[in-house]
């Protein structure tokens, strides 16, 4: 996890502009560098480092003797960097995983380079010899990237939009700040003036296609065909591989554990592999909730079962309400479910940063989208419709759950790892027949659960535990975080304010008092930037005005939780 920031063709003095780079300093608390580009005095890079791999040479922009004309700033981890280095017999100058980008670009060009990377990444690559600038982002946008491009070719890039909101430029109107699309790269021509011209935007990977890098990683035991036992075995092999490759770190590894299916599978597999790889410390797991919350009780059972060093963070609605403003500042979003679910993740990340030495944090994000885990999938009219909805959700992750997971952890200088969004694992799961992936016998994520049945990886009651929204599961069933938040908002927003919402917020107007309250906070922090949340996350196939699972008629909490 790092913060990357760059300008190409700035009309304003760089020393003035670079104060904007400090707005993303939380992403890299270990070191900071600001560097001009030789021969292009109005171009520069800013970098905030969180040191995870190669303590000595990890500062950026990364440059090596073999390619003095290449400058690389990237945020991410390339899990197959050693495999590719050995296969192509590259001679590396450093142990930095990102150096592989320079060698691949030199040999194959930008598109092939991006498609061979197994990992999560956002990159800015400058080639002064050919006067090119390239931007790129991983398949699901696990690592964030935003750009600002003016009419006269001034380009500004940042890991978070807040690093661009006060950039000075020559346009008379505010310049648009847009999230860079996942799974794509953009090529710019760099003019002698330092300004740029976009010449190409292209996709290098789509989630439904097996990634190119899969052919360089032969996994033992993978079967062919759709026979159930073969599929279940393949799911286990690919999932374990997804967790194993993410053990790449020089800093302590921990895991978020809500006690739900997804985080429990991640935590259990992580503990198992950590023992096999002989890590020199126990894996720490982290749960947040009120004393009688379903999540806290379930997480406790899982932690005891897998033998992790377990930490519980006590959550009170009052603490959650106090954190909302900060959370919206970090998220740069006014989506209701995103804000609501981010509060717990933000507070647990704060605890991890302040009270432990774990820095690399595993989590279960992406599973609900991939394996049809949301309760509304029970209402899908056909398996095909469910499968299409799954892909739609995956393609929008960078606006919602992945955005939440990145910003809430990065706010506290932690690095998130999400094995359920492994390119190879997701491509395989999405290649399975739609009927296999649909909810079965009234149970969502049936195929995933069935794949780990009888493996004794996690307790059976957790393997078959039904879906809880994170924001709902961490508080008491008697009175959820959702209900507490609604009460607070009732005292802050009145009916007449909500009636005027359409005029006050013509783009994506809020329909509820909670939406109004969140939008007010967002507009104070980011006035005129409502396009950053193009639409609200909402369940489909049912009438819903609120995204919380608890408000849906098909939600039935387990009686024994």
């Amino acid at each position: 996890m790092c913060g990357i920031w760059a300008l190409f063709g700035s009309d304003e003095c760089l020393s003035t502009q670079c104060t904007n780079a400090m707005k993303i300093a939380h992403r890299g608390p270990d070191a900071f560098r600001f560097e001009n580009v030789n021969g292009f005095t109005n171009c520069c890079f800013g970098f905030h480092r969180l040191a995870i791999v190669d303590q000595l040479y990890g500062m950026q922009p990364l440059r090596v003797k073999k390619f003095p004309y290449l400058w690389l700033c990237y945020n991410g981890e390339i899990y197959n960097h050693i495999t590719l280095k050995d296969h192509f017999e590259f001679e590396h100058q450093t142990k930095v995983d990102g150096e592989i980008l320079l060698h691949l670009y030199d040999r194959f060009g930008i598109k092939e380079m991006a498609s061979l990377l197994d990992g999560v990444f956002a990159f800015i690559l400058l080639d002064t010899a050919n006067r090119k600038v390239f931007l790129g982002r991983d398949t699901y946008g696990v690592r964030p990237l935003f750009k600002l491009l003016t009419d006269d070719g001034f380009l500004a890039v940042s890991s978070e939009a807040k690093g661009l909101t006060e950039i000075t430029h020559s346009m008379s109107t505010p310049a648009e700040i847009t999230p860079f699309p996942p799974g794509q790269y953009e090529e710019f021509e760099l003019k002698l003036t330092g300004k740029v011209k976009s010449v190409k935007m292209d996709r290098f990977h789509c989630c439904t296609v097996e990634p190119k890098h899969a052919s360089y990683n032969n996994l033992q035991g993978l079967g062919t065909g759709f026979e159930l036992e073969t599929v279940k075995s393949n799911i286990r092999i690919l999932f374990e591989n997804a967790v194993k490759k993410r053990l790449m770190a020089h800093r302590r590894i921990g895991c978020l554990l809500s006690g739900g299916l997804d985080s429990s599978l991640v935590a259990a597999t992580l503990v198992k592999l950590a023992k096999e790889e002989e890590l020199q410390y126990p894996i720490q797991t982290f749960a947040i909730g009120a004393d009688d919350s379903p999540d806290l009780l379930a997480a406790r059972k899982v932690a005891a079962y897998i033998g992790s060093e377990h930490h519980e963070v006590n959550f009170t609605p009052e603490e959650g309400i106090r954190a909302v403003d900060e959370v919206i500042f970090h998220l740069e979003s006014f989506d209701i479910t995103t804000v609501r679910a981010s509060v717990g993740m933000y507070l647990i990340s704060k605890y991890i940063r302040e009270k432990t030495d774990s820095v690399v944090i595993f989590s279960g994000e992406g599973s609900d989208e991939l394996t049809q885990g949301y309760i509304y999938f029970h209402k899908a009219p056909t398996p095909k419709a469910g499968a299409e909805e799954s892909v739609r959700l995956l393609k929008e992750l960078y606006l919602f759950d992945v955005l939440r997971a990145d910003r809430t952890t990065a706010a506290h200088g932690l690095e998130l790892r999400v094995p359920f969004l492994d390119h190879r694992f997701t491509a395989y799961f999405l290649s399975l027949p739609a009927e296999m992936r649909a909810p079965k016998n009234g149970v969502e994520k049936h195929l995933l659960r069935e794949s780990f049945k009888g493996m004794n990886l996690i307790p059976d009651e957790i393997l078959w535990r039904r879906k809880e929204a994170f924001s709902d599961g961490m508080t008491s069933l008697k009175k959820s975080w959702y209900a507490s938040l609604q009460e607070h908002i009732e005292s802050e927003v009145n009916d007449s304010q909500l009636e005027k919402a359409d005029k006050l917020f013509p783009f994506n107007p809020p329909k509820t008092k909670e939406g109004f309250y969140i939008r007010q906070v967002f507009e104070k922090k980011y006035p005129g930037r409502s396009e950053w949340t193009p639409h609200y996350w909402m369940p489909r196939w049912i009438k819903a005005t609120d995204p919380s699972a608890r408000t849906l008629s098909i939600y039935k909490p387990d009686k024994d939780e």
Side-chain angles (χ1 to χ4, degrees), residues 255-268 302 363-365 420:
C255 188
L256 300 182
L257 179 59
S258 71
L261 173 69
D262 310 325
S263 65
S264 298
L265 286 176
V266 172
V302 176
S363 185
E365 264 70 37
F420 273 108

Side-chain angles (χ1 to χ4, degrees), residues 288-297 313-318 465 468-485 487 548 550 555 557-559 561:
I288 186 167
D291 288 339
D292 67 335
S293 70
D295 280 2
L296 215 57
L297 300 172
V313 182
N314 195 265
F315 173 85
T316 64
E318 294 74 29
R465 185 187 177 205
E468 289 265 13
F470 179 43
S471 54
D472 295 335
M474 70 181 186
T475 46
S476 167
L477 274 177
K478 299 183 199 89
K479 186 177 181 185
S480 72
W481 156 231
Y482 165 74
S484 302
L485 186 59
E487 271 184 22
S548 174
R550 285 177 182 271
Y555 180 77
D558 289 353
K559 294 285 183 289
E561 285 178 352

Side-chain angles (χ1 to χ4, degrees), residues 69-125:
Y69 47 88
L70 296 183
W71 306 60
L72 173 68
C73 237
Y74 77 103
N75 165 209
E77 297 76 45
I78 313 302
Y79 305 122
N80 63 342
H81 70 113
I82 293 171
T83 302
L84 294 175
K85 170 183 171 281
D86 294 345
H87 180 84
F88 295 114
E89 299 179 344
F90 293 140
E91 287 185 24
H92 280 215
Q93 182 181 317
T94 75
K95 290 187 173 68
V96 179
D97 53 323
E99 186 178 337
I100 195 68
L101 275 76
L102 304 177
H103 295 272
L104 290 172
Y105 168 71
D106 173 68
R107 188 171 297 186
F108 300 115
I110 194 71
K111 186 172 185 177
E112 186 77 1
M113 177 207 89
S115 64
L116 286 173
L117 302 175
D118 182 7
V120 291
F121 53 85
F123 66 78
I124 307 161
L125 178 62

Side-chain angles (χ1 to χ4, degrees), residues 149 153 186-191 195-200:
L149 183 62
E186 187 167 10
E187 178 182 332
F188 298 87
E189 175 191 318
L190 179 66
K191 299 174 183 176
K195 300 277 202 246
V196 303
K197 178 187 175 187
S198 178
V199 291
K200 188 178 191 181

Side-chain angles (χ1 to χ4, degrees), residues 386-520:
E388 287 169 355
E389 172 69 355
S390 181
V391 171
R392 183 189 75 83
L393 288 172
L394 285 165
K395 287 181 176 177
E396 288 194 347
L397 268 172
Y398 76 105
L399 295 169
F400 301 111
D401 274 25
V402 152
L403 180 151
R404 162 179 61 77
D406 173 83
R407 298 307 190 286
T408 54
T409 49
H412 301 290
L414 302 176
E415 185 197 284
L416 188 79
R417 297 204 173 166
V418 282
F420 273 108
L421 291 177
D422 182 77
H423 298 166
R424 198 167 176 188
F425 179 71
T426 54
Y428 176 73
F429 203 93
L430 294 172
S431 76
L432 299 172
E435 292 74 17
M436 283 187 99
R437 293 181 276 144
K440 189 177 171 187
N441 305 331
V443 179
E444 64 280 355
K445 293 193 264 204
H446 193 278
L447 179 59
L448 181 65
R449 298 176 199 270
E450 183 77 19
S451 299
F452 286 94
K453 184 180 171 184
M455 294 292 116
N456 298 322
L457 195 63
I458 58 175
D460 264 6
E461 66 200 277
I462 302 297
L463 185 63
W464 297 98
R465 185 187 177 205
R466 67 176 302 131
K467 168 73 184 160
E468 289 265 13
F470 179 43
S471 54
D472 295 335
M474 70 181 186
T475 46
S476 167
L477 274 177
K478 299 183 199 89
K479 186 177 181 185
S480 72
W481 156 231
Y482 165 74
S484 302
L485 186 59
Q486 303 314 306
E487 271 184 22
H488 171 71
I489 286 160
E490 278 293 333
S491 68
E492 296 286 324
V493 179
N494 60 43
D495 293 344
S496 63
Q497 283 175 294
L498 186 60
E499 283 163 19
K500 295 171 190 160
D502 285 23
K503 287 179 183 168
L504 197 56
F505 309 118
F507 180 78
N508 251 349
K511 304 292 183 197
T512 64
K513 287 183 180 177
E514 182 184 17
F516 188 94
Y517 175 78
I518 289 169
R519 184 65 171 272
Q520 269 190 319

Side-chain angles (χ1 to χ4, degrees), residues 23 26 160 162 324-333 521 525-526:
K23 291 183 181 177
H26 50 271
E160 297 182 17
K162 59 181 68 67
V324 168
D325 274 39
E326 280 173 56
V327 165
I328 293 170
F329 168 73
H330 281 287
L331 288 178
E332 304 166 338
S333 168
V521 176
K525 296 184 186 301
Y526 303 110

Side-chain angles (χ1 to χ4, degrees), residues 157-355:
V157 188
S158 177
S159 289
E160 297 182 17
K162 59 181 68 67
L164 302 176
T165 50
E166 290 178 37
I167 291 282
T168 307
H169 54 79
S170 57
M171 283 170 59
S172 56
T173 55
E176 198 179 6
I177 297 168
T178 55
F180 194 82
Q184 299 188 40
Y185 72 90
E186 187 167 10
E187 178 182 332
F188 298 87
E189 175 191 318
L190 179 66
K191 299 174 183 176
L192 292 170
T193 59
K195 300 277 202 246
V196 303
K197 178 187 175 187
S198 178
V199 291
K200 188 178 191 181
M201 173 81 94
D202 200 4
R203 177 173 291 286
F204 63 84
H205 185 235
C206 176
C207 60
T208 53
V209 179
E210 182 172 74
K212 274 196 173 180
H213 54 71
S215 59
Y216 298 94
N217 179 18
N218 292 323
L219 287 176
Q220 297 299 311
L222 279 182
T224 54
F226 297 133
E227 198 267 321
L228 183 59
E229 289 308 312
T230 302
V231 167
K232 283 158 56 176
S233 170
N234 287 350
I235 286 171
R236 290 193 300 272
I237 290 167
L238 287 165
F239 180 71
E240 185 164 308
N241 177 58
V243 175
K244 189 173 186 174
K245 70 178 74 164
R246 284 166 174 77
L247 291 174
M248 180 182 94
H250 292 160
R251 303 289 287 273
R252 185 166 185 168
I253 294 170
C255 188
L256 300 182
L257 179 59
S258 71
L261 173 69
D262 310 325
S263 65
S264 298
L265 286 176
V266 172
T269 306
L270 179 57
V271 169
K272 172 178 174 274
L273 291 172
K275 286 174 186 163
E276 289 174 13
E277 299 286 314
E278 297 182 345
L279 288 195
Q280 297 303 299
Y281 53 82
I283 295 294
Q284 294 179 324
T285 49
F286 304 95
I288 186 167
D291 288 339
D292 67 335
S293 70
D295 280 2
L296 215 57
L297 300 172
R300 209 175 286 165
K301 285 177 193 167
V302 176
Y305 188 89
I306 65 176
S308 62
E309 182 192 299
H310 192 54
H311 295 244
E312 292 183 354
V313 182
N314 195 265
F315 173 85
T316 64
E318 294 74 29
E319 192 182 9
I321 288 161
R322 281 198 303 272
V324 168
D325 274 39
E326 280 173 56
V327 165
I328 293 170
F329 168 73
H330 281 287
L331 288 178
E332 304 166 338
S333 168
F334 57 85
D335 177 63
I336 298 165
T337 190
T338 302
V339 172
R340 200 189 286 159
S342 292
V343 171
M345 203 159 178
Y346 179 83
L347 293 172
I348 202 168
S349 298
K350 184 171 188 273
Y351 170 91
I352 294 169
R353 187 65 182 172
E354 291 175 356
K355 302 281 199 276

